[in-house]
Amino acid sequence: MDIFPDFGAVGGAAEIESIAGALLTFVLIVAVLMMIISGVTWALASANGHVQTATRARIGLWVACGAAALAGSGVAWVNFLLGVGSQL
């Protein structure tokens, strides 16, 4: 006797994909805006001699860069998992 789970009983892969895509797109947009703001702040603070502000802006730029990379790879990861799940 072969027993397998019924993967067709649980629907909603398209909704999950669209929700995850929308949320990760929102995160990417915010991360890019934060990169722009942090970069401008870093440049202005460095030019005017505000070392502490320049350091915080540089850290903000790296955090925003990391968030953008994670969100971009998150889209690929969700698409990969949904593709693997549909082939089981």
Side-chain angles (χ1 to χ4, degrees), residues 12 14 19 22-23 26 34 41 49 52-53 60 71 76-77 86:
I19 290 170
L23 289 175
F26 179 72
M34 288 308 300
T41 304
Q52 185 176 8
T53 304
W77 182 248
S86 66

Side-chain angles (χ1 to χ4, degrees), residues 58-76:
R58 185 178 60 224
I59 291 171
L61 182 69
W62 283 111
V63 168
C65 184
L70 286 175
S73 64
V75 172

Side-chain angles (χ1 to χ4, degrees), residues 26-87:
F26 179 72
V27 169
L28 278 173
I29 291 170
V30 170
V32 169
L33 288 175
M34 288 308 300
M35 289 174 75
I36 293 169
I37 291 169
S38 293
V40 169
T41 304
W42 183 12
L44 290 175
S46 294
N48 292 321
H50 299 286
V51 177
Q52 185 176 8
T53 304
T55 302
R56 289 185 183 189
R58 185 178 60 224
I59 291 171
L61 182 69
W62 283 111
V63 168
C65 184
L70 286 175
S73 64
V75 172
W77 182 248
V78 168
N79 289 334
F80 169 75
L81 290 178
L82 287 172
V84 168
S86 66
Q87 294 176 358

